[in-house]
Amino acid sequence: MGKVLVIDVAECVGCYCCQIVCKDEHVENDWSPYAKPQPDTGHFWLKIDEKERGTIPKVKVTYIPILCMHCDNAPCIPACPQNAIFKRSDGVVLINPEKCDGCKLCLDACPYGVIYFNTELNIAQKCTLCTHLLDKGWKEPRCVGACQREAMILGEEDDPKIKTLLDKAEVLHPEYGTKPRVYYMNLPKPFIAGTIVDPSNRECLEGATIIATDLVEGVKHKTVSDEFGDFWLKDLKWMHRYLIEVSKEGYAPKKVCIAYTDKDINLGTIQLTKPI
Amino acid sequence: MSFEDSAVKVCYVSGGLCGHSRSGPPMEVQVKDGRIVRVLPFRIPDEVRLYRVRTSKGEFTRPRRAVPAAYILAWKKRMDSPSRLKYPLKRVDWSPENRNPQNRGKSGYVRISWDEAIDIIVNEIKRVKEVYGTTEAILVQADGHGQSGLLHTFHCYGHYLFDKLGGYTSQVRNPDSWEGYYWGAKHVWGFDAQVGEPIQDAIFDDILENCEMLIFSGCDPESTVPGFAGQIGTIMCRWVKQAGIKIVGVSPDLNYAEAVHADKWIPIKPNTDAALYLAVAYTWIKEDTYDKKFVQTHCHGFEEFKKYVLGEEDGVPKTPEWAEKICGVPVETIKTLARTWAKKRTSLAVFFGGPKIRGPYSSEVARIEAIVLSMQGLGKPGRQFFRFWYRLGLGCKKVAPLPRYPEVDAEGTPPNFVEPYVYMPPAARSFIIKTLVPEAILNPPVSWYCAGSIICPTEDQFTKYTFPPYKEHPGIRMIWNENACWTACWSYGYKMIEALRSPKIDFVVGIHPWFENDLRYADLILPAQTIFEHDDIVPVNHTDIVGLVYQDRCIKPVGESKSDYEIHRLVAERLGIGDAFPPPEEALRRAFEKTLAAKKMSWEEFKRKKVVIYDCPTPEEWEEIKRKYNVKPGLTWFYELPEGKGLETPTGKLEIYSTGIAQHFPDDKERPPLPRYMPQGEAHQESLEHVRAEKYPLLMMSNHPKWRLHAQGDDISWTKEIPTCKVKGVDGYLYEPLWIHPLDAEKRGIKYGDIVKVFNERGAVLGGAYVTERIMPGVVYMDHGANHDPLSIEGKLDRGGCINLIAPPPHEKRIVGMEVRVPEMCSSGYLVEVEKVDLKDLRREG
């Protein structure tokens, strides 16, 4: 049992309301014993990680809200020499502002980088999941309550409705081993995109087959170009190498390249020619 | 919201920045011990019936939670921002004896009392009458957007005040959100009351049911909408995606809506949309894939257009190959766009038309756009001009775009008695269209066509106006400025600064809550209030729901600030016409009593209840309403006419060849009877084909900003931490982002975060380089409205990134005595160069 936050990245349009209302709640407002005020600027207890992906004209922007993960295996807790950081029975991790002596070891310990230092008050600070409100009967933390797309849900992990969402969700950087309580649906997978054209008559080619073969795992990802000759191979894996091949009836098949998904890839215009 | 703290008071305040007494949903403000604790999105009460757009694909509605923009939620930061004005101020070296106009923008200010401030105003008005013989020497600039309470924050009372005093010169707000549609498209299809964009009655019934493809052109529902209406654009985009409609964005930039919603982005150079559209028309003609019958029965002048497109008129066939060289869209994409547009039920989507409609010769772009829409049968199922609009006014004829009771639209919210001054042709005989104000001050007389007011008959574009309107008129000698943003939001702000500093101007009054933009050049400054500082009514009528909400004062007024209404009332009282401004409580009560809500409750009951949001009709009732009012979505009614005579044009048809222009200006080369691709001419030389491009090889594209509403909200520290809002320079200053493609950046040795100078002959502004793939090579992008922060006034160097300072005037080569036929605003698509700046060279003058 315990609280979990589920965020659907596919819904996030980058309105930044969550980032802003977190400041609305915590700048110049003292919520002791949960948290003291954060400074006017420089802290992002919830921060939008904005990623521009691809190259012109195959460009997308993805926005991912990043906040304290309220980890079950939180490294900040043992890192604190003052025992100022603790985990509640509902899963929320808090820093006691009275006990914190400003040593900053928790900032170093947190692999997600979501702890911030308040130089004026000499204390470490982070997201409290607005427990000062939840404990008074509010249903949602401020960020969830301001989300224009209702992309964020706070719930109990035992709730069957939440469980269905958790089945489709994942955590950021599971390899850190911290067991976050913040889950993400539709985290971006790399895309490989392009446009298939016939240069001899300057036409877009619809219905070309594009196959990306994972050179290590052998899995083949297939798609078909649309009326504009465009294709987007999605649901690939980061840091994998793919052989890209294009074919269309009446044209010579083409091995385009080997693409490495350390970033999203725009293969540009791929020209197919008729066999001689 | 449940909370246990009974000491917390809940207040509702206006959540919109349109001003003009038109607000989006309110914000819920929680106040304790005299300070604002938090600001929450409004929640539409459960008992209110929401609209449901019923289609065969399902029903579309909105969430109960309002969707205010981030900067609206952060608006409380503006109460005490560093630029907040608290007291009346007088320029230290201005006095009636010694005015020192040359020091405007440089001198400091000294605090004075309200009594002294009003004394000065009263004496200056008296002096104007004595010295110049008429108060028509006073220019009233009072037509800007602003905070949106019904009464207190409306920028308009100057018109009313000086009208009561016996005369003034009115600055007539040109149709800045509609320019190309107004000066151009109106000649094709009329729609005067909708400012040149086709009506949107019940439009979602057709779009969501029938449309297969939306071309976003000048369309960013994730940007401008929020400042007016809340981010209802994001909900509408969700409907579009849920309805399975393909979104193709045609724009120089990958805008904020396209970045998350578009299925395809077609980058296009600014001002070249006409070439793209002509090539599309060419493809349809050659492949015989347009609605020939509709063109015959509903359009006038297609044969001439066809000749022009095929090259039979000028020897240049408007082929995709021709267009590719101009607009940068590949031939194959142009051809496919044309074929898909013909095959799929395609509508053109705009949100006010964006940069496309505000560039040089945008009248021609808009006309040609209207023609290509006509060629596919405008008004056929799924084939509309679609605005992403939500209210009746300025967009519809009989019923709203979304299901709503017509009586709610008509009487649900109170009218403001001074609204006509902003939208209608001026009753005053002395007026200047806003785009020509600097010229009218510096180099009169100025002649132009069309009064230029937002609502105006098309025929007025054939009527010539002159300022001054008669020989003895003294010209402009005093300025009453409630707008605060001509320099930041109109074109060629440096020219307006020159006008403000002219020795011809004896006295400039600025009324605003913050020291920004135009106020830097005022002699006397009167501090106005934010919406947190007075009771008012929130007229919820500039969004997808309608209602009214009582606005409680949240905090004590900051310093000695007074509301815009109270300031004018104070001046009026001193001038002996105080009766014209009833006490605020009385004005609000009287306004409330004119509404539908007043039929069910008294004013006192409303003040207690606070929130009235009107029900929307059920889907069945909506069908009944459409039947009763004889409404079919958008232009469906027009398409269904056997012979298309029903438009407000001279022939009643879609005028591909404009009969009005042919009659009045048959030889006009820059807005001819038959529209054409117009890269440059006498009025504008902003084309890459022009010799100026050798020195200024980049096209500046400018749009309605994402993180402000025009110039409003540039001082909010929290939004300025957002990467696309400001770029922090090495000097720590938060610069306005200048979007530049990596290829152009590399050529100039520019990296992300560098401080850059953007310039042309008109002057320069600084910006922070935002190197991105979201803008085409050859194009740079800077939103307008950043706060003007001069480094050198004579040297025309601004640090704030106030890009409109260097945007072109309506006519580049206007000389005294020459008439300006199309006094359009040109704030996007003009030539600039960009270079990295050495900090050592930056010096602040004065």
Side-chain angles (χ1 to χ4, degrees), chain B residues 594-805:
Chain B
K594 291 197 172 82
T595 67
L596 265 185
K599 295 194 176 144
K600 296 225 170 107
M601 67 185 80
S602 69
W603 170 240
E604 295 302 324
E605 283 173 304
F606 170 62
K607 287 205 287 185
R608 272 193 308 271
K609 185 176 178 357
K610 309 255 183 252
V611 175
V612 172
I613 303 291
Y614 298 100
D615 282 335
C616 296
T618 62
E620 295 76 18
E621 285 176 324
W622 180 237
E623 292 306 310
E624 187 48 48
I625 288 166
K626 287 189 288 179
R627 258 192 303 273
K628 178 175 164 196
Y629 284 78
N630 193 21
V631 168
K632 297 207 165 154
L635 290 184
T636 309
W637 63 273
F638 178 69
Y639 181 76
E640 289 179 356
L641 293 173
E643 198 198 346
K645 274 191 180 198
L647 299 177
E648 295 161 18
T649 55
T651 54
K653 299 192 177 195
L654 290 157
E655 294 204 349
I656 292 171
Y657 181 93
S658 163
T659 55
I661 295 175
Q663 184 190 342
H664 295 273
F665 305 133
D667 303 316
D668 191 333
K669 291 202 170 45
E670 300 190 8
R671 191 183 54 180
L674 183 74
R676 49 199 66 242
Y677 167 62
M678 192 76 54
Q680 59 205 27
E682 285 294 303
H684 302 293
Q685 299 92 45
E686 304 298 337
S687 164
L688 289 169
E689 300 168 25
H690 193 273
V691 66
R692 285 180 69 229
E694 285 169 25
K695 265 181 105 176
Y696 309 111
L698 297 168
L699 279 170
M700 165 59 69
M701 194 208 84
S702 193
N703 203 0
H704 287 33
K706 169 76 171 165
W707 302 112
R708 303 180 283 269
L709 186 84
H710 296 287
Q712 295 185 72
D714 199 46
D715 58 354
I716 298 173
S717 52
W718 299 343
T719 45
K720 283 157 81 155
E721 291 181 299
I722 297 170
T724 44
C725 181
K726 297 290 178 187
V727 171
K728 196 175 209 172
V730 292
D731 57 351
Y733 189 88
L734 292 170
Y735 287 93
E736 186 68 13
L738 184 272
W739 291 26
I740 183 167
H741 188 269
L743 288 173
D744 290 323
E746 196 184 14
K747 256 189 239 165
R748 294 163 173 79
I750 292 171
K751 289 196 184 55
Y752 177 88
D754 282 345
I755 304 168
V756 294
K757 185 169 88 164
V758 186
F759 61 97
N760 54 30
E761 304 95 326
R762 298 179 205 102
V765 308
L766 298 183
Y770 186 87
V771 182
T772 173
E773 293 284 339
R774 287 173 66 183
I775 190 74
M776 302 176 74
V779 183
V780 288
Y781 169 33
M782 193 175 232
D783 279 333
H784 76 244
N787 187 21
H788 169 48
D789 185 9
L791 280 173
S792 166
I793 296 177
E794 277 84 5
K796 298 202 171 105
L797 180 62
D798 160 87
R799 196 181 190 192
C802 187
I803 190 62
N804 278 20
L805 290 171

Side-chain angles (χ1 to χ4, degrees), chain B residues 41 88 143 174 226 299 342 365 572 630:
Chain B
D143 51 72
N174 55 285
C299 304
V365 175
N630 193 21

Side-chain angles (χ1 to χ4, degrees), chain B residues 411-601:
Chain B
E411 298 170 81
T413 56
N416 184 306
F417 60 96
V418 287
E419 199 179 16
Y421 286 106
V422 182
Y423 287 117
M424 305 305 287
R429 65 172 176 175
S430 182
F431 60 91
I432 311 166
I433 188 170
K434 193 164 174 175
T435 47
L436 289 174
V437 159
E439 287 296 303
I441 291 171
L442 292 167
N443 305 306
V446 175
S447 290
W448 73 95
Y449 285 82
C450 193
S453 57
I454 287 170
I455 306 290
C456 204
T458 307
E459 298 78 64
D460 200 48
Q461 294 187 27
F462 308 126
T463 304
K464 187 159 134 176
Y465 295 91
T466 301
F467 180 83
Y470 55 90
K471 203 168 68 135
E472 301 77 22
H473 191 295
I476 300 303
R477 302 295 174 166
M478 174 176 150
I479 296 177
W480 185 268
N481 182 335
E482 297 170 55
N483 274 15
C485 62
W486 204 113
T487 50
C489 296
W490 249 247
S491 296
Y492 202 1
Y494 278 130
K495 205 66 181 174
M496 187 66 212
I497 291 170
E498 195 186 319
L500 285 166
R501 301 178 74 230
S502 161
K504 290 186 188 181
I505 307 295
D506 303 329
F507 183 49
V508 180
V509 180
I511 301 166
H512 199 52
W514 302 280
F515 186 68
E516 53 188 17
N517 298 318
D518 299 1
L519 257 72
R520 295 182 175 276
Y521 304 96
D523 299 315
L524 182 75
I525 293 177
L526 303 177
Q529 288 176 349
T530 69
I531 29 121
F532 299 106
E533 297 164 57
H534 47 253
D535 281 21
D536 207 324
I537 289 176
V538 182
V540 184
N541 56 17
H542 206 307
T543 187
D544 61 323
I545 52 171
V546 179
L548 57 171
V549 174
Y550 190 79
Q551 173 174 304
D552 280 308
R553 180 166 68 79
C554 299
I555 55 154
K556 286 207 301 270
V558 170
E560 293 177 5
S561 64
K562 294 180 190 296
S563 76
D564 296 74
Y565 184 78
E566 286 168 338
I567 290 170
H568 287 81
R569 185 158 180 251
L570 199 59
V571 175
E573 273 169 356
R574 281 292 302 275
L575 291 167
I577 50 168
D579 287 345
F581 288 81
E585 164 83 10
E586 187 190 316
L588 289 174
R589 180 182 48 78
R590 279 203 233 149
F592 167 79
E593 283 165 0
K594 291 197 172 82
T595 67
L596 265 185
K599 295 194 176 144
K600 296 225 170 107
M601 67 185 80

Side-chain angles (χ1 to χ4, degrees), chain A residues 19-81:
Chain A
Q19 182 172 309
I20 294 299
V21 298
C22 180
K23 290 170 181 267
D24 180 52
E25 187 65 27
H26 292 285
V27 173
E28 291 180 16
N29 283 335
D30 191 330
W31 302 119
S32 297
Y34 298 87
K36 290 209 175 296
Q38 64 173 248
D40 188 58
T41 57
H43 279 213
F44 303 95
W45 298 2
L46 185 143
K47 181 179 195 158
I48 292 291
D49 182 20
E50 184 172 326
K51 294 183 194 308
E52 183 180 296
R53 307 165 55 193
T55 58
I56 192 172
K58 297 287 190 290
V59 183
K60 298 261 181 231
V61 180
T62 297
Y63 303 93
I64 304 177
I66 306 286
L67 62 160
C68 171
M69 303 292 168
H70 297 281
C71 305
D72 280 353
N73 205 10
C76 56
I77 295 178
C80 178

Side-chain angles (χ1 to χ4, degrees), chain A residues 27-258:
Chain A
V27 173
E28 291 180 16
N29 283 335
D30 191 330
W31 302 119
S32 297
Y34 298 87
K36 290 209 175 296
Q38 64 173 248
D40 188 58
T41 57
H43 279 213
F44 303 95
W45 298 2
L46 185 143
K47 181 179 195 158
I48 292 291
D49 182 20
E50 184 172 326
K51 294 183 194 308
E52 183 180 296
R53 307 165 55 193
T55 58
I56 192 172
K58 297 287 190 290
V59 183
K60 298 261 181 231
V61 180
T62 297
Y63 303 93
I64 304 177
I66 306 286
L67 62 160
C68 171
M69 303 292 168
H70 297 281
C71 305
D72 280 353
N73 205 10
C76 56
I77 295 178
C80 178
Q82 301 301 323
N83 293 319
I85 310 181
F86 62 98
K87 192 170 190 51
R88 299 173 12 145
S89 58
D90 63 0
V92 176
V93 175
L94 295 177
I95 304 175
N96 185 333
E98 297 305 322
K99 282 190 177 173
C100 174
D101 72 348
C103 74
K104 296 189 192 170
L105 285 171
C106 56
L107 270 80
D108 295 335
C110 174
Y112 293 97
V114 292
I115 304 181
Y116 295 84
F117 195 70
N118 185 327
T119 46
E120 198 195 307
L121 298 177
N122 199 48
I123 52 173
Q125 297 182 299
K126 66 173 190 67
C127 162
T128 61
L129 212 58
C130 286
T131 35
H132 67 288
L133 297 173
L134 299 180
D135 288 351
K136 282 206 275 198
W138 286 55
K139 299 282 188 296
E140 306 163 316
R142 291 295 312 278
C143 49
V144 175
C147 179
Q148 292 181 356
R149 304 276 299 195
E150 296 169 305
M152 301 168 80
I153 300 173
L154 182 77
E156 294 295 323
E157 64 188 333
D158 299 332
D159 180 345
K161 280 197 229 118
I162 298 291
K163 276 189 178 166
T164 343
L165 295 178
L166 292 181
D167 286 340
K168 297 184 256 183
E170 53 187 310
V171 299
L172 277 178
H173 296 289
E175 72 278 11
Y176 292 161
T178 62
K179 294 198 172 163
R181 286 185 163 269
V182 177
Y183 290 83
Y184 294 86
M185 296 195 295
N186 298 306
L187 276 175
K189 308 270 183 289
F191 63 74
I192 297 177
T195 306
I196 317 289
V197 305
D198 180 341
S200 68
N201 56 6
R202 307 243 19 216
E203 295 286 351
C204 300
L205 289 178
E206 183 175 7
T209 302
I210 301 96
I211 299 178
T213 306
D214 187 317
L215 288 179
V216 172
E217 292 178 5
V219 175
K220 287 188 187 297
H221 303 264
K222 187 170 140 175
T223 190
V224 172
S225 60
D226 69 12
E227 68 268 354
F228 283 97
D230 289 333
F231 68 90
W232 298 78
L233 285 158
K234 297 183 175 172
D235 289 326
L236 304 174
K237 289 192 175 173
W238 291 107
M239 314 299 198
H240 278 222
R241 289 162 72 235
Y242 294 90
L243 171 67
I244 311 296
E245 296 169 289
V246 180
S247 61
K248 182 173 164 66
E249 200 184 315
Y251 289 88
K254 195 167 193 171
K255 272 190 172 59
V256 178
C257 65
I258 291 173

